[in-house]
Amino acid sequence: MPTDHLLPEGLARVMRLLQRLPGVGEKTAQRFALFLIGEGRETARELGHELSDLASRLRPCDRCGNIAEVAGEGETVCRICTDSRRDSRLLCVVARVQDLIAVERSGAMRGRYFVLGKLLSPLDGVGPEELPLPALCRRIESDGVEEVIVATPPSVDGEATALLVARELGCRQVSVSRIASGVPHGGDLEFADQITLGRAIDGRRPIEG
Ligand SMILES: [Zn+2]
């Protein structure tokens, strides 16, 4: 039975917004909303303050797609791209920022990253032209990258994307490898433990494009 009429419109609006977040259903949204107007009032104020200018303060890094702090008018560049201790000859290609964080947490990557933003998925209408492959090629050339490690998830779309990247880069002076199995098929890098993911990166193998 719908309970919308029981709630003040302001609360219902907050609940509808919360339900747009990944993994948040109606009950969770209600729990969050009631917390925020009850004992979590201070959290609500802080959250509101932080969220109100989140989009203007943070955006994808112009070089790699990682999340970066906007610094004035110029180029927005993330901390990893500006870190001079990183090996610029090594580039790890991931699908999402969550995967970048997972790989970074494993401690096995000394190089930099490139975030594709999505995986090749013909069934969902995502073709090769939807992926930022020209930007990836430019990045490889400008940084003098020698090895590309493709760390897309071990799923059908992840494998297809890895193969596409290998083919696209096949004619260039760069070796392309794929993280080893160990991360379960269909699994998410985000949920793989650090040691498993670290081993998968260390045990990478060349892709035959
Ligand atoms: Zn970056």
Side-chain angles (χ1 to χ4, degrees), residues 61 64 66 78 81:
C61 170
C64 77
N66 185 18
C78 77
C81 285

Side-chain angles (χ1 to χ4, degrees), residues 22 96-103 105 151-154 183 187-194 197:
R96 308 170 306 162
V97 173
Q98 292 95 306
D99 301 330
L100 181 158
I101 296 168
V103 172
R105 211 176 272 149
T152 48
V183 179
D188 240 323
L189 298 193
E190 198 183 342
F191 302 117
D193 70 83
Q194 295 168 25
L197 191 50

Side-chain angles (χ1 to χ4, degrees), residues 22-42:
V24 177
E26 192 183 341
K27 282 197 180 138
T28 306
Q30 188 176 336
R31 193 150 53 92
F32 285 172
L34 291 173
F35 167 76
L36 291 170
I37 57 169
E39 54 184 310
R41 290 187 97 83
E42 191 48 39

Side-chain angles (χ1 to χ4, degrees), residues 41-128:
R41 290 187 97 83
E42 191 48 39
T43 304
R45 255 191 292 274
E46 277 180 53
L47 199 57
H49 179 71
E50 289 296 328
L51 290 179
S52 65
D53 58 356
L54 186 68
S56 57
R57 276 196 294 115
L58 298 171
R59 67 183 186 99
C61 170
D62 289 333
R63 294 190 200 167
C64 77
N66 185 18
I67 298 301
E69 203 106 26
V70 176
E73 292 290 296
E75 204 186 18
T76 298
V77 187
C78 77
R79 283 188 183 174
I80 294 176
C81 285
T82 49
D83 184 353
S84 59
R85 291 165 301 178
R86 297 272 170 166
D87 186 347
S88 58
R89 293 167 301 178
L90 209 54
L91 190 72
C92 182
V93 174
V94 293
R96 308 170 306 162
V97 173
Q98 292 95 306
D99 301 330
L100 181 158
I101 296 168
V103 172
E104 194 58 21
R105 211 176 272 149
S106 77
M109 180 66 193
R110 298 169 288 108
R112 295 203 175 93
Y113 296 87
F114 187 88
V115 182
L116 293 170
K118 55 181 85 172
L119 292 172
L120 183 67
S121 182
L123 288 178
D124 296 322
V126 183

